[in-house]
Amino acid sequence: MNLENRNDVSILLSGEAGQGLQTLERILLRLFALSGFHVFSYSEVMSRIRGGNNSTEIRISTEPVSSYVSRIDIFIPLGTGAMNRFHDRISGDTVIIGDHGNIDSSYHDGNHRVIVLPIRETAAAVGGALYANIITMGILAGIFNLDQSLVESVLRTSFTKSADDVKLKNQDASRRGLAMGVDLSQKGMINAPGRPSPGADEELLVNGAEAVGLGALAGGCNFISSYPMSPSTEVLVFFARHAEALGIIVEQAEDEICAVNMAIGSWYAGGRAMVTTSGGGFALMVEAISLAGALESPLVVHLGQRPGPATGLPTRTEQGDLLFALFSGHGEFPRAIFAPGSITECFHLSQRAFHMADKYQIPVIIMTDQYLIESYSSVPAFTVAPGMDENLIVVTGESYQRYAIMLNGVSPRGIPGHGKGIVCLDSDEHDEGGYITEDFTVRREMVDKRLRKFDFMEEDLLPPVLYGPDTYEILIVCWGSTLNCILEALAESDRPDVSILHFPQVYPLHPSAAALIGKARKKIIIENNATSQFSALVKMKTGIDFDRKILKYNGMPFMVEEIIDVINAV
Amino acid sequence: MATPFDFPNPIDIAWCPGCGNFGIIQALKKAVTELGLKRETLVLVSGIGQAAKTPHYVNASFFNGLHGRSLPAATAIKASNPLLTVIAESGDGCTYGEGGNHFLTAIRRNTDITNIVHNNMVYGLTKGQASPTSCRGFITPVQVAGVYLEPFNPVAVAIALKASFVARAFSGDVDRTAEIIKQAITHRGYALVDIFQPCVTFNKINTFKWYRDHTYYLDETYDPHDRDAAFKKSLESEKFPLGVLYISGETRTFEDNLTAYKTDPAPLYKRSLDKDALNRIMQSYKV
């Protein structure tokens, strides 16, 4: 099998929960990234701690890469039963490498490329079954002709806490694996691309959760309260890791209701707070989203979507909560919703969310999903935008009024203890001072004041981003995490008549949206949900209908090949 | 007595004439005045209910949020600016019913806040349904055959959870209630003050006279540091003991446990993003 002329190689590792697949994934990503390759990985796991079948797809590429493909170039089954779920993705070109016992007998049919290696036996010789992962890493390193000293250094820095004899055995396992891989390569049984990109080893290796966390930090976030829920918890874990270095308050609340009420309380007292949650947890927060609307409190919510309804598929992905987020909270009040299309956008939009929340005193929701949160990619270092962390508060005077009527709807925000005034917030309808009222005139003035922010927000709305020529006949519209997959598919297709319009901000819609969508002869929307929620939003705001809706809702993200088929069919 | 927490002009108060809330707000204003607290650093946090309107009638900062959620907001306000004096004040339905989980966790978290609970054993704002503290047999428009749930005992629960300060007061005694509130505010850590108050409109059973007849004050010989004795006291129900029932002796508060204040006592709003530290963290994600 010759992969030498390939730009990128897709490797699928498959095994049971508890086998150390995640550790292997991280080590391989670091190893190949340090070797100068661009890397991407996506893990799909069952909602269980032991057993079942999980898989990790790792793409190793000489070009930037950040989407999921169906194609498997190298399949490595790490246990028996590891191949069952992948029959339709294993082709005659797939190289299957593994222990005899792990490769289903049906693949020894002469139509498949099977390389049997004594991984288990070698692991036993090293010191136990656990070393199979390190041997596997060595084999891949050998196939790609990676530097042995680099392999050893990655191992050293990845297992700093292991016992000394484990460290030695790890090195032994890696050398044995490397020898097997080099042997395969020398015998011409498999060759890999060997043209790493200069500068790739200068990049960041992060997943979406870490990019959201880094962006929030850059937005000045100094308070996070949340309740664990897959897949959003990774953001809370990120903050816990860095709390001390940046003086951040991190609290695991007793429930999501507490978490979000804490976040609003923190903003009131001068903090810059966020919560991270998923659909079910967000459902519990909804009353407080409305509270933020009434109090005109800034609030940042990271909503990491997973398939519902109810508990749904806890470890899988979906874009099923857009309209829920849009309509969350009783009553009428302004809000903004961001939907990053990439790991880099996770950073920028999370940073921006803090500024928008503060500037307009509104709740801002950042919508990601399990796919984006848990995908790793090597990306260029993030650039911090200036001013996003600035605390937009005023020193209060003695006669300060929290809800002073302003032309743009935004009253200067005071906090208690900062000035001579008092700061009064009420969830009831209130007057300019914040005191409860049932005066119909005041009510109308307050509603108008809050809703005026919509008009003044327009200058800060993010426009949809057009990829491809602006002379398009056919337009593919998308939002959130599907972007990179669709971009790669378009790049693979020879269709200059097709362009892509991606919405990093899905609400409020930028005024340019209607014309950009409207001028396409054929309008296609692609969403990772069953009811095409974004097309409903576009229809509601612009009256535009789509000609085709490409929807996927089995719990998995789109694969590049699926989109190529869509493009080729139009 | 005029206090700095009165308004210069008369205000419209939504409580019924004779409501027990009047005694509580009087005691509260007396307590914060005698402690010399400043209007601009006192924050009252409430949920929803008649008791939760109290902050509107005190001339100080307030956060009147959602039903049941006064404690999460109060916790975060104190944590974000420990220089503020934070009092969470709501009714028995708001604190023990809708906000029950927050009540349990606030005790365990031990934030340095005072939690004043107006306990009238009935829902006033929604017109007379049972509250978590209603007595068995109490008949209401919803509990038509009488309440059959065991009444929630907040002081016993608080002591069981080793709350750092637990007290009970009666709104009919403004001066003694003010003294208890003062102790609660000066206590470092979470301090519960459950205050019996009659609802003159919707509770014809637990009246001023009923509370007088069914309460007594703990005397000077009572030691609030003895948890077993305190627990026993908290279970008395023929006559309810009033005063400071329990002080746990726990010295570490929630704020003490936050690494954010390990080296820098400044409230969050006085800090700015440490760009060098952010840069170091970004670099740690380099390949």
Side-chain angles (χ1 to χ4, degrees), chain A residues 205 242 251 254 266 423 425 427, chain B residues 61-62 64-65 80 109 285:
Chain A
L205 180 58
H242 302 299
E251 180 64 358
E254 57 268 27
S266 177
V423 183
L425 268 56
S427 64
Chain B
S61 289
F62 67 81
N64 181 357
S80 300
R109 210 173 255 127
Y285 287 89

Side-chain angles (χ1 to χ4, degrees), chain B residues 103-109 152-167 190 192 222 224 226-235 245-248:
Chain B
F103 174 62
L104 300 182
T105 315
I107 292 169
R108 295 172 52 225
R109 210 173 255 127
F152 183 74
N153 183 336
V155 289
V157 168
I159 294 166
L161 289 169
K162 292 193 192 170
S164 73
F165 180 102
V166 182
Y190 172 84
L192 170 67
Y222 178 76
D226 179 342
R227 184 156 169 251
D228 289 347
F231 194 67
K232 220 166 166 185
K233 278 284 169 206
S234 74
L235 299 179
L245 281 157
Y246 179 60
I247 295 171
S248 76

Side-chain angles (χ1 to χ4, degrees), chain A residues 31 137 141 146-155 174 178:
Chain A
L31 179 62
M137 178 208 71
L146 301 191
D147 187 37
Q148 181 170 338
S149 61
L150 182 66
V151 175
E152 290 178 8
S153 116
V154 166
L155 272 182
S174 77
L178 200 72

Side-chain angles (χ1 to χ4, degrees), chain A residues 46-172:
Chain A
M46 292 183 172
S47 183
R48 51 195 289 174
I49 307 298
R50 287 282 180 275
N53 176 255
N54 298 338
S55 78
T56 294
E57 175 177 297
I58 298 178
R59 293 182 68 187
I60 296 163
S61 173
T62 57
E63 305 290 328
V65 64
S66 50
S67 42
Y68 194 47
V69 290
S70 168
R71 184 190 84 242
I72 302 172
D73 296 318
I74 301 174
F75 187 103
I76 304 184
L78 294 165
T80 52
M83 302 185 73
N84 290 344
R85 293 193 303 135
F86 303 96
H87 289 311
D88 57 351
R89 289 177 56 193
I90 297 171
S91 73
D93 290 331
T94 305
V95 182
I96 302 163
I97 303 174
D99 273 302
H100 181 72
N102 291 348
I103 299 170
D104 296 358
S105 54
S106 59
Y107 289 96
H108 294 286
D109 58 359
N111 296 324
H112 289 89
R113 298 160 192 268
V114 177
I115 299 174
V116 175
L117 290 176
I119 298 174
R120 199 176 293 175
E121 203 182 299
T122 312
V126 170
L130 277 174
Y131 296 98
N133 283 348
I134 304 295
I135 294 167
T136 303
M137 178 208 71
I139 293 168
L140 288 167
I143 292 171
F144 281 79
N145 300 310
L146 301 191
D147 187 37
Q148 181 170 338
S149 61
L150 182 66
V151 175
E152 290 178 8
S153 116
V154 166
L155 272 182
R156 262 198 307 281
T157 49
S158 300
F159 293 98
T160 50
K161 287 177 187 153
S162 300
D164 285 347
D165 71 311
V166 173
K167 287 181 186 166
L168 284 174
K169 285 173 181 167
N170 275 338
Q171 299 290 2
D172 183 22

Side-chain angles (χ1 to χ4, degrees), chain A residues 30 33-34 200-206 210 214 217-218 222-223 238 241-249 251-255 257-258 261-262 264-266 268-271 287-288 291 295 347 382 384 389 391 393 398 415-428 434-436, chain B residues 7 39-45 47-48 53 55-67 69 71-81 84 98 101-103 105-106 108-109 254 258-262 267-275 277-278 280-287:
Chain A
R30 280 193 63 215
L34 281 170
D201 58 347
E202 289 294 309
E203 297 197 319
L204 302 182
L205 180 58
V206 287
E210 291 161 346
L214 288 168
L217 286 182
N222 52 24
F223 189 107
F238 170 91
R241 190 180 303 141
H242 302 299
E244 196 163 347
L246 277 178
I248 302 159
I249 295 175
E251 180 64 358
Q252 179 178 324
E254 57 268 27
D255 54 36
I257 297 172
C258 174
N261 280 279
M262 274 189 169
I264 296 170
S266 177
Y268 169 69
E287 189 189 18
L291 176 68
L295 300 184
F347 175 85
F382 301 135
V384 176
D389 60 314
N391 222 3
I393 53 172
E398 213 141 342
I415 59 168
H418 188 45
K420 291 271 173 223
I422 60 170
V423 183
C424 303
L425 268 56
D426 187 12
S427 64
D428 292 273
Y435 293 96
I436 185 168
Chain B
F7 290 92
R39 176 176 168 268
E40 57 268 28
T41 51
L42 174 65
V43 177
L44 299 174
V45 185
I48 296 298
K53 286 179 181 161
H56 287 269
Y57 311 141
V58 178
N59 194 355
S61 289
F62 67 81
F63 181 108
N64 181 357
L66 296 174
H67 189 46
R69 317 305 168 200
L71 285 169
T75 301
I77 291 165
K78 182 70 183 180
S80 300
N81 184 354
L84 299 170
E98 188 90 8
N101 195 14
H102 311 313
F103 174 62
T105 315
R108 295 172 52 225
R109 210 173 255 127
F254 174 56
L258 297 172
T259 58
Y261 296 112
K262 215 168 167 182
L268 296 184
Y269 81 89
K270 288 198 170 166
R271 306 174 183 205
S272 50
L273 174 64
D274 181 345
K275 300 229 160 67
L278 173 63
R280 278 194 298 278
I281 291 171
M282 294 247 236
Q283 289 299 311
S284 74
Y285 287 89
K286 254 185 78 175
V287 168

Side-chain angles (χ1 to χ4, degrees), chain B residues 51-271:
Chain B
K53 286 179 181 161
T54 307
H56 287 269
Y57 311 141
V58 178
N59 194 355
S61 289
F62 67 81
F63 181 108
N64 181 357
L66 296 174
H67 189 46
R69 317 305 168 200
S70 64
L71 285 169
T75 301
I77 291 165
K78 182 70 183 180
S80 300
N81 184 354
L83 304 177
L84 299 170
T85 300
V86 179
I87 299 174
E89 181 157 7
S90 251
D92 45 343
C94 188
T95 311
Y96 305 142
E98 188 90 8
N101 195 14
H102 311 313
F103 174 62
L104 300 182
T105 315
I107 292 169
R108 295 172 52 225
R109 210 173 255 127
N110 198 30
T111 312
D112 184 14
I113 57 173
T114 302
N115 189 10
I116 295 174
V117 185
H118 300 215
N119 183 355
N120 59 7
M121 306 184 182
V122 72
Y123 278 25
L125 184 68
T126 55
K127 303 191 174 180
Q129 303 82 17
S131 100
T133 52
S134 293
C135 299
R136 281 205 164 154
F138 182 64
I139 291 171
T140 85
V142 174
Q143 288 76 21
V144 289
V147 169
Y148 48 76
L149 271 69
E150 173 67 21
F152 183 74
N153 183 336
V155 289
V157 168
I159 294 166
L161 289 169
K162 292 193 192 170
S164 73
F165 180 102
V166 182
R168 185 163 245 168
F170 169 48
S171 71
D173 300 327
V174 172
D175 289 350
R176 298 187 85 155
T177 298
E179 283 307 313
I180 292 170
I181 292 174
K182 276 161 72 178
Q183 283 188 62
I185 292 172
T186 48
H187 174 82
R188 207 168 165 278
Y190 172 84
L192 170 67
V193 186
D194 180 89
I195 306 180
F196 284 142
Q197 59 143 148
C199 172
V200 296
T201 303
F202 295 110
N203 190 336
K204 305 295 186 194
I205 307 293
N206 310 104
T207 60
F208 265 105
K209 183 173 184 321
W210 186 92
Y211 284 112
R212 282 259 182 257
D213 293 345
H214 288 81
T215 56
Y216 72 97
Y217 281 91
L218 295 163
D219 63 25
E220 294 80 34
T221 62
Y222 178 76
D223 176 14
H225 298 91
D226 179 342
R227 184 156 169 251
D228 289 347
F231 194 67
K232 220 166 166 185
K233 278 284 169 206
S234 74
L235 299 179
E236 290 179 5
S237 58
E238 283 297 304
K239 276 190 159 214
F240 298 94
L242 302 174
V244 178
L245 281 157
Y246 179 60
I247 295 171
S248 76
E250 173 59 57
T251 55
R252 277 189 83 74
T253 64
F254 174 56
E255 304 86 278
D256 292 336
N257 288 311
L258 297 172
T259 58
Y261 296 112
K262 215 168 167 182
T263 55
D264 183 2
L268 296 184
Y269 81 89
K270 288 198 170 166
R271 306 174 183 205

